[in-house]
């Protein structure tokens, strides 16, 4: 009965939403700010990838807020799943060799690991030129560490203190770059520094620096999340 | 004036560094939060006079609107910022068992609250709303009580669904108009007043209504408030719910000022009042009663805001402040006075002071003269009666009915407090910091009695400033009226 | 004219269907992990609708390459917004997962009905009032649409 009522409700909502989207200008929406940004992004920000200009310059505060949300989630997960919040002692087996994933998986991951780091850093550092950037690269970095901790469930793939330090340092540098802009240029997160040769790696002023901070922050938060969820699995 | 962005940035900065600082010195990490809050409070007070009656806009990144994000600062948002900083200082956890990352979560909550009050960009508001939500989940789940994790999970499901709807509403508005700046949207309201625009508004109200304890979206309220520590409950019920209301009101005033929308708000408010009071009447313990009565009070605030124009706005503002003071005070008081009504039997003998404060709060809540609550309720009823619509007149009847129910259960509780026989299980007597704060809240309430007319004049000024979309548009988009296409 | 279905109409249809399937899952499932998966689908649908608002016919990615010759570009703003929204979603999902682990640990169950009645029971016991009904009969307590 509940299911039937829910199905009716959803069907009604579906019809309503279809009608509403029928009223929307699909495929040729007004794009008021979109066109303004496309026209001026080249001169104002100097990044070849306009999406990056929007993420880090026009809507930089959104990005800061989003990094804070990741930080809040990672902090909350860390608080929830640390060992101290569980009264039971962990049933961690003393033999660490037994739970490992075998020769092929471990050595394969060890082989890929440095390559993944390079790919991640490449994606981050070319965020203002190509599709990609801090978020995507940060996820690749976090996955590199996650894979190591998956094949060695008992081993320590990354130190918690290092993660804490990187996430604080990256967040700090993002805000400090913004504050320097506030006191030298007059506005928080205003683009600074020489824009360089358009389309080259050293261009777009502070944008690559900001994206590096974002990449490190995202990588550290996701690695921290995976680490916390992974250690707890042992306890349950 | 651009430095007022520090209101958002400084708490974020301190949240990021607290865990690292704590590795070296726990004491310093404990002090960072209060120091930042005091600094912000000073900043707010010092900038009060330099903000003119037209408000002030900060263009983030130096990009002229509408392309970038804009912060809009007027006396109303400065007052709310001051209240946020003050309230956070009051509920700041000084206990020794608090983990450093919990302080980080409190600072993130602060930053999100400031962002919600100041931002004039729809998507930016969504981001701060989510930050507020995630920090709240973390703080609720971290409570000593293991049931709090369950309450947090159930709250997360309701709230995250609401947030996705909010995002959907923003997506529809963006597709329709191609902009996100609220002032820019306010210049093209005729495009928004179709079916698509109104459904987007409905989605936004559903999304923000979860935190504003709106009718049908408030299943989380009793579970969360009865499992968390009372200072945090005071923060959530007193302040955070108001911020979500402010979000709804800003969007409503600027973009959807239509009589049908206002009537919808009225109906939702009436349902909230009636359902909240009915369930509160059946509650058998303190925290549950306070949570349901908080739902009813938020419903009353929605009724006030449903009156068109400045009048509704200033009554709603006065109600918000009054509820912040009274419900915040009651939750702080409940730090010691919690448990079932049976347990509170004969409490007057143990702490006459606590009971006296409790009675002051509930008299004002009910609207007994001469307490501030009376004047606010009187103004609300008088102005509802003046409306040219029978729907508003029915609302008066419901408000009076709700007041009777409220009086019935509150006086029932008072009778328990004054009974001769004492409860078998001893509830501890209040001696803590929270009790002192509750006393201060009561004192503020009594002192405000002497300043009712200056305070209401101030609120009227603020309301006329907030209710006027032209001021908002002129300040944020100066080029718009001079004819240039921004 | 009946077969005049445009590509963006189809895309919108898919995105709306995805989000409504998610909403339906949230309404009818009782397993908290399934509810989380349904929530993920709902958010994904909302994100798709958001990013579709920047779609232009024959538009190219908004990147000024060296050989750019003035073609129409897609709107860059929704792409940036959806990047933000996706990361926010990931944070919330991770937190929900941690909460589910905690709940499983505490109540030894993933059934929302069981969890809810045990929670009610626990709150009542803490406040020292009579618990509302027996927590062994979860079926009476459930109502439709309580997670809306």
């Amino acid at each position: 009965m509940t299911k039937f009522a829910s199905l009716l409700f959803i069907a009604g909502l579906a019809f309503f939403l279809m009608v509403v989207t029928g009223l929307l200008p699909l495929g040729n929406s007004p794009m008021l700010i979109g066109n303004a940004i496309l026209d001026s992004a080249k001169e104002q920000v100097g990044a070849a990838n306009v999406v990056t200009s929007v993420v880090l310059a026009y809507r930089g505060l959104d990005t800061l807020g989003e990094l804070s949300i990741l930080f809040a989630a990672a902090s909350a997960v860390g608080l929830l799943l640390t060992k101290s919040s569980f009264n039971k002692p962990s049933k961690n087996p003393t033999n660490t060799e037994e739970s490992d994933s075998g020769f092929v998986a471990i050595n394969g991951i060890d082989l890929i690991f440095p390559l993944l780091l390079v790919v991640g850093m490449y994606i981050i550092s070319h965020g203002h030129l190509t599709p990609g950037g801090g978020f995507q690269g940060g996820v690749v970095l976090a996955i590199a560490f996650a894979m190591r901790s998956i094949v060695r469930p008992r081993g320590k793939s990354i130190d918690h203190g290092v993660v804490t330090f990187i996430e604080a340092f990256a967040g700090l540098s993002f805000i400090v770059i913004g504050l320097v802009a506030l006191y030298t240029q007059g506005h928080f997160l205003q683009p600074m520094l020489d824009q360089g040769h358009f389309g080259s790696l050293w261009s777009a002023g502070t944008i690559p620096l900001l994206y590096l901070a974002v990449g490190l922050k995202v990588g550290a938060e996701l690695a921290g999340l995976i680490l916390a969820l992974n250690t707890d699995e042992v306890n349950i | 004036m651009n430095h007022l962005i520090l209101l958002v940035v400084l708490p974020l900065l301190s949240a990021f560094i607290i865990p690292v600082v704590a590795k070296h010195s726990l004491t310093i990490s404990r002090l960072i939060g209060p120091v930042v809050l005091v600094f912000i409070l000073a900043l707010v007070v010092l900038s009060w006079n330099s903000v003119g009656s037209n408000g002030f806009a900060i263009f983030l990144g130096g990009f002229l609107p509408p392309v970038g994000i804009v912060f809009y600062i007027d006396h109303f948002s400065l007052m709310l910022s001051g209240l946020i900083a003050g309230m956070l200082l009051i509920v700041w956890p000084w206990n020794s068992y608090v983990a450093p990352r919990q302080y980080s979560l409190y600072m993130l909550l602060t930053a999100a609250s400031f962002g919600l009050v100041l931002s004039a960009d729809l998507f930016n508001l969504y981001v701060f709303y989510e930050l507020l939500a995630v920090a709240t989940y973390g703080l609720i789940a971290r409570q000593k009580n293991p049931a709090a994790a369950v309450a947090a999970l159930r709250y997360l499901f309701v709230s995250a669904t609401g947030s996705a709807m909010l995002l959907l509403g923003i997506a529809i508005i963006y597709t329709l108009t191609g902009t996100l700046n609220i002032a820019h949207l306010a210049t093209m309201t005729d495009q928004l007043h179709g079916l698509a625009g109104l459904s987007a508004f409905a989605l936004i109200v559903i999304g923000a209504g979860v935190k504003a304890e709106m009718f049908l979206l408030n299943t989380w309220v009793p579970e969360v408030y009865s499992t968390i520590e009372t200072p945090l409950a005071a923060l959530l019920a007193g302040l955070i719910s108001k911020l979500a209301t402010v979000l709804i009101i800003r969007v409503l005033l600027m973009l959807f000022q239509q009589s049908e929308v206002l009537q919808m708000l009225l109906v939702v408010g009436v349902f909230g009042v009636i359902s909240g009071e009915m369930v509160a009447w059946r509650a058998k313990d303190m925290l549950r009663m306070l949570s349901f009565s908080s739902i009813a009070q938020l419903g009353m605030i929605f009724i006030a805001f449903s009156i068109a124009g400045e009048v509704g706005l200033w009554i709603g503002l006065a109600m918000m402040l009054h509820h912040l003071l009274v419900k915040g005070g009651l939750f702080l008081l409940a730090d010691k006075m919690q448990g079932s009504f049976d347990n509170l039997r004969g409490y007057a003998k143990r702490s006459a002071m606590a009971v006296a404060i409790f009675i002051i709060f509930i008299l004002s809540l009910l609207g007994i003269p001469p307490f501030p609550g009376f004047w606010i309720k009187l103004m609300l009823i008088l102005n509802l009666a003046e409306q040219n619509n029978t729907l508003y007149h029915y609302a008066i009847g419901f408000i009076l009915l709700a007041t009777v129910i409220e009086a019935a259960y509150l006086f029932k509780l008072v009778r328990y407090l004054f009974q001769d026989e004492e409860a078998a299980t001893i509830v501890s007597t209040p001696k803590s910091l929270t009790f002192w704060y509750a006393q201060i809240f009561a004192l503020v309430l009594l002192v405000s009695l002497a300043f009712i007319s200056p305070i209401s004049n101030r609120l009227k000024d603020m309301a006329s400033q907030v209710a006027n979309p032209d001021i908002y548009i002129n300040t944020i988009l100066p080029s718009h009226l001079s004819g240039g296409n921004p | 004219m009946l077969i005049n279905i445009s590509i963006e109409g189809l895309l919108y249809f898919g995105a709306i269907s995805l989000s409504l399937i998610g909403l339906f899952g949230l309404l009818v499932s009782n397993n908290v992990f399934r509810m989380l998966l349904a929530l993920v689908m709902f958010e994904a649908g909302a994100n798709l609708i958001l990013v579709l608002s920047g779609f232009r016919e024959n538009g190219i990615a908004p990147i000024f390459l060296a050989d750019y010759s003035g073609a129409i570009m897609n709107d860059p703003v929704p792409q940036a917004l959806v990047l933000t929204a996706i990361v926010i979603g990931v944070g919330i999902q991770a937190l929900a997962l941690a909460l589910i682990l905690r709940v499983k640990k505490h109540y030894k169950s993933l059934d929302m009905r069981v969890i809810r009645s045990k929670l009610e029971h626990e709150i009542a016991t803490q406040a020292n009032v009579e618990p509302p009904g027996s927590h062994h009969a979860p079926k009476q307590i459930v109502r439709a649409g309580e997670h809306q």
Side-chain angles (χ1 to χ4, degrees):
Chain A
M1 192 56 215
T2 319
K3 286 189 183 172
F4 184 66
S6 309
L7 195 61
L8 268 186
F9 169 70
I10 294 292
L13 201 61
F15 177 73
F16 180 70
L17 279 179
M18 294 296 170
V19 171
V20 168
T21 42
L23 296 171
L24 295 178
L26 303 183
N28 52 353
S29 49
M31 265 177 76
L32 290 182
I33 53 176
N35 283 329
I37 286 176
L38 282 177
D39 289 344
S40 57
K42 219 170 169 177
E43 293 76 41
Q44 283 184 334
V45 184
N49 184 350
V50 185
V51 179
T52 298
S53 312
V54 178
V55 166
L56 291 175
Y58 293 99
R59 310 193 66 86
L61 194 68
D62 280 352
T63 305
L64 181 57
E66 150 194 18
L67 292 180
S68 317
I69 291 174
L70 261 190
F71 177 73
S75 295
V77 171
L79 280 169
L80 274 173
L81 297 182
T82 43
K83 291 221 171 76
S84 60
S85 66
F86 290 91
N87 297 330
K88 273 192 202 165
S90 83
K91 291 169 279 181
N92 211 339
T94 41
N95 187 356
T96 55
E97 294 298 318
E98 214 166 82
S99 54
D100 280 350
S101 322
F103 177 81
V104 176
I106 291 179
N107 287 292
I109 296 301
D110 281 350
L111 203 63
I112 302 174
F113 180 73
L115 299 176
L116 276 178
L117 292 188
V118 172
V119 172
M121 290 313 284
Y122 179 88
I123 294 177
I124 292 175
S125 57
H126 288 70
H128 56 298
L129 303 176
T130 57
F135 300 102
Q136 297 86 335
V139 171
V140 173
L141 291 184
I143 291 298
F145 287 101
M147 277 168 53
R148 273 181 62 161
S149 82
I150 285 172
V151 293
R152 291 195 189 82
R154 306 278 180 271
K156 247 188 155 189
S157 65
I158 185 166
D159 185 41
H160 225 293
V162 176
V163 173
T164 312
F165 179 76
I166 293 177
E167 70 181 2
F169 174 74
L172 190 71
S173 27
F174 191 99
I175 291 182
V176 166
I177 293 174
L179 286 179
V180 170
L182 173 65
Y183 288 109
T184 59
Q185 318 277 313
H187 290 282
F188 186 69
L189 279 177
Q190 189 165 0
M192 287 187 301
L193 302 183
D194 188 28
Q195 289 191 354
H197 178 63
F198 184 80
S200 71
L201 188 57
W202 300 108
S203 65
T206 42
I207 297 289
L209 288 177
L210 286 175
Y211 239 167
L212 185 63
V214 171
L216 287 179
K217 181 97 180 153
V218 170
E221 304 293 5
L222 286 180
L225 277 174
I226 294 167
L227 212 67
L229 287 169
N230 200 29
T231 45
D232 185 68
E233 194 200 31
V234 183
N235 281 329
I236 284 186
Chain B
M1 290 299 285
N2 283 347
H3 61 267
L4 276 177
I5 185 69
L6 289 180
L7 256 60
V8 174
V9 174
L10 270 188
L12 288 181
L13 185 73
S14 56
F16 290 158
I17 60 171
I18 282 174
V20 173
V21 172
K23 285 211 184 320
H24 300 286
S25 159
L26 265 179
T27 331
I28 297 180
S29 76
R30 222 164 269 265
L31 287 175
I32 290 177
V35 167
V36 168
L37 285 173
V38 169
F39 176 76
I40 284 175
L41 206 55
L43 199 63
V44 168
V45 172
L46 290 178
S47 358
W48 183 270
N49 281 330
S50 47
V51 173
S53 58
N54 280 341
F56 181 83
I58 296 178
F59 308 128
L60 283 154
F63 299 105
L64 284 182
V67 293
I69 295 174
V70 186
F71 270 26
Y72 176 72
I73 293 158
D74 58 0
H75 283 145
F76 172 60
S77 51
L78 269 186
M79 178 191 76
L80 282 177
S81 308
L83 285 176
I84 292 166
M87 192 74 189
L88 252 297
L89 273 175
I90 285 172
V91 302
W92 191 258
W94 296 98
N95 320 16
S96 53
Y97 56 79
V98 178
R101 282 192 178 251
Q102 234 168 320
Y103 292 122
S104 292
L105 287 180
Y106 270 104
M107 290 321 281
L108 293 172
L109 187 78
T110 319
S113 310
F114 288 134
L116 267 183
V117 171
L118 300 178
S119 185
D121 184 281
L122 267 185
F123 192 79
N124 197 236
L125 283 172
Y126 165 78
V127 170
F128 283 121
Y129 188 73
E130 286 291 283
L131 179 57
L132 187 80
V134 175
T136 326
Y137 307 147
L139 285 174
I140 295 171
R142 174 59 184 171
Q143 300 290 310
K144 283 175 292 179
N145 189 346
V150 186
L153 181 66
R154 287 174 51 82
Y155 176 34
L156 187 145
F157 277 126
V158 182
S159 175
T161 313
S163 302
M165 291 198 172
L166 180 60
L167 187 64
L168 212 54
I170 292 172
I172 291 176
I173 287 186
Y174 185 80
T175 318
L176 207 58
T177 62
T179 183
L180 292 164
N181 186 310
I182 294 180
H184 197 202
L185 285 169
T187 62
M188 39 180 125
T189 41
D190 44 334
Q191 285 182 42
L192 287 171
H193 285 184
L195 176 65
L198 283 180
S199 52
F201 178 66
L203 287 168
I204 291 176
V205 170
I206 291 175
V210 174
K211 256 172 221 68
E213 302 175 13
M214 203 179 245
F215 178 64
L216 277 186
L217 303 168
N218 47 27
T219 46
W220 60 273
V221 172
E223 296 168 7
V224 168
Y225 291 174
S226 354
T227 46
I228 58 179
E229 286 170 358
T230 44
L232 186 57
L235 182 71
L236 293 183
L239 194 67
I240 305 300
S241 58
K242 306 300 178 302
L243 296 181
T245 317
V246 170
L247 170 61
I248 295 178
I249 295 310
R250 266 270 151 89
V251 175
L252 176 88
L253 281 176
M254 295 301 150
L255 309 181
F256 295 97
Q257 184 76 275
Q258 281 173 295
S259 57
E260 292 85 3
V261 173
L262 290 173
Q263 281 165 24
M264 195 183 80
L265 205 64
L266 178 78
V267 173
V268 170
V270 167
F271 274 115
V273 169
I274 293 296
S275 64
E277 298 291 14
M278 295 286 244
V279 191
W281 183 53
R282 290 184 50 205
K284 293 193 190 69
D285 68 276
M286 188 76 164
L287 289 177
R288 194 163 267 257
M289 186 195 82
L290 289 181
S291 343
F292 283 115
S293 121
S294 151
I295 291 175
Q297 299 300 320
L298 264 295
M300 198 89 88
I301 291 175
F302 279 118
I303 294 179
F305 281 130
S306 73
I307 301 174
E310 282 170 35
V311 188
L313 195 65
W314 87 258
I315 297 175
L317 288 184
M319 282 197 128
M320 268 169 54
L321 292 183
H322 177 247
H323 183 234
L324 167 71
L325 207 58
V326 171
K327 200 42 67 72
L330 279 171
F331 267 113
L332 288 173
L333 201 60
D335 194 23
K336 292 295 170 202
M337 283 174 73
Q338 53 183 294
S340 69
F341 295 164
D342 269 344
N343 278 6
L344 293 170
R345 209 176 282 169
Y347 199 82
K349 277 191 208 158
R350 233 168 305 140
S351 173
M353 189 64 182
V355 171
I357 294 175
F358 181 78
I359 289 176
I360 290 176
F361 281 142
I362 64 168
L363 286 182
S364 190
L365 196 62
L366 282 173
I368 307 286
F371 289 100
F374 166 71
W375 302 106
I376 298 170
K377 232 175 210 175
L378 186 71
M379 289 308 295
L380 176 64
I381 289 176
L382 286 180
N383 281 293
L384 281 175
E386 275 177 20
Q387 298 296 311
N388 248 340
N389 189 325
T390 38
L391 212 56
Y392 287 92
H393 301 163
Y394 288 133
I396 299 178
F398 283 118
I399 289 177
L400 293 177
L401 176 68
T403 309
V404 172
I405 303 175
E406 204 176 12
Y409 67 76
L410 285 174
F411 287 131
K412 187 177 72 183
L413 175 57
V414 170
R415 216 182 61 212
Y416 272 109
L417 294 176
F418 280 103
Q419 259 171 8
D420 277 342
E421 44 169 338
E422 282 197 30
T425 43
I426 300 295
V427 187
S428 56
T429 43
K431 259 193 192 127
S432 62
L433 201 59
T434 46
F435 182 57
W436 282 106
Y437 286 134
Q439 280 172 306
I440 293 173
F441 274 47
L443 198 66
V444 172
L445 189 73
L446 289 178
V447 170
S448 71
L449 206 55
F451 298 97
I452 281 209
S453 77
I455 291 177
S456 62
N457 284 338
R458 252 291 153 76
L459 285 177
K460 274 178 195 162
D461 289 348
M462 250 178 225
S464 65
Q465 198 177 336
V466 174
N468 191 347
D470 287 342
I471 297 181
Y472 196 75
I473 297 170
N474 275 343
T475 311
I476 296 181
L477 289 173
S479 53
H480 178 73
L481 286 199
S482 57
N485 200 2
Chain C
M1 285 312 265
L2 270 178
I3 322 173
N4 185 11
I5 298 175
S6 56
I7 175 82
E8 60 270 19
L10 258 173
L11 290 172
Y12 264 103
F13 180 77
I16 291 175
S17 311
L18 184 63
S19 57
L20 288 179
I21 291 170
L23 197 58
F24 182 65
L26 267 172
L27 289 177
V28 298
S29 20
N30 287 312
N31 183 310
V32 276
F33 191 69
R34 281 192 192 178
M35 284 174 70
L36 176 60
L37 293 181
L39 181 66
V40 173
M41 284 172 80
F42 186 37
E43 281 177 354
N47 286 342
L48 277 174
I49 293 175
L50 180 58
V51 80
L52 272 174
S53 68
F55 175 79
R56 320 254 38 205
E57 275 168 41
N58 305 321
I60 60 165
I63 299 173
F64 291 105
L65 296 173
D67 56 352
Y68 174 68
S69 56
I72 303 172
M73 282 185 172
N74 285 328
D75 192 347
V77 178
Q79 301 191 12
L81 300 186
V82 94
L83 198 58
T84 308
I86 289 172
V87 177
I88 291 172
V90 168
I92 292 178
Q93 288 149 23
L95 183 53
L97 211 51
L99 282 170
I100 288 177
L101 284 175
R102 192 82 200 274
V103 169
K104 177 85 185 346
K105 177 99 179 156
H106 186 63
Y107 288 131
K108 308 273 181 295
S109 168
L110 283 179
D111 191 321
M112 192 46 124
R113 293 167 296 184
V114 177
I115 293 171
R116 182 168 188 219
S117 57
K118 283 188 178 173
L119 173 68
E120 295 276 330
H121 199 264
E122 201 159 301
I123 291 175
T125 326
Q126 271 167 17
N128 206 359
V129 294
E130 255 177 52
S134 160
H135 68 272
H136 292 298
K139 273 183 187 155
Q140 296 165 351
I141 296 166
V142 193
R143 277 183 301 108
E146 54 178 289
H147 301 298
Q148 235 185 88

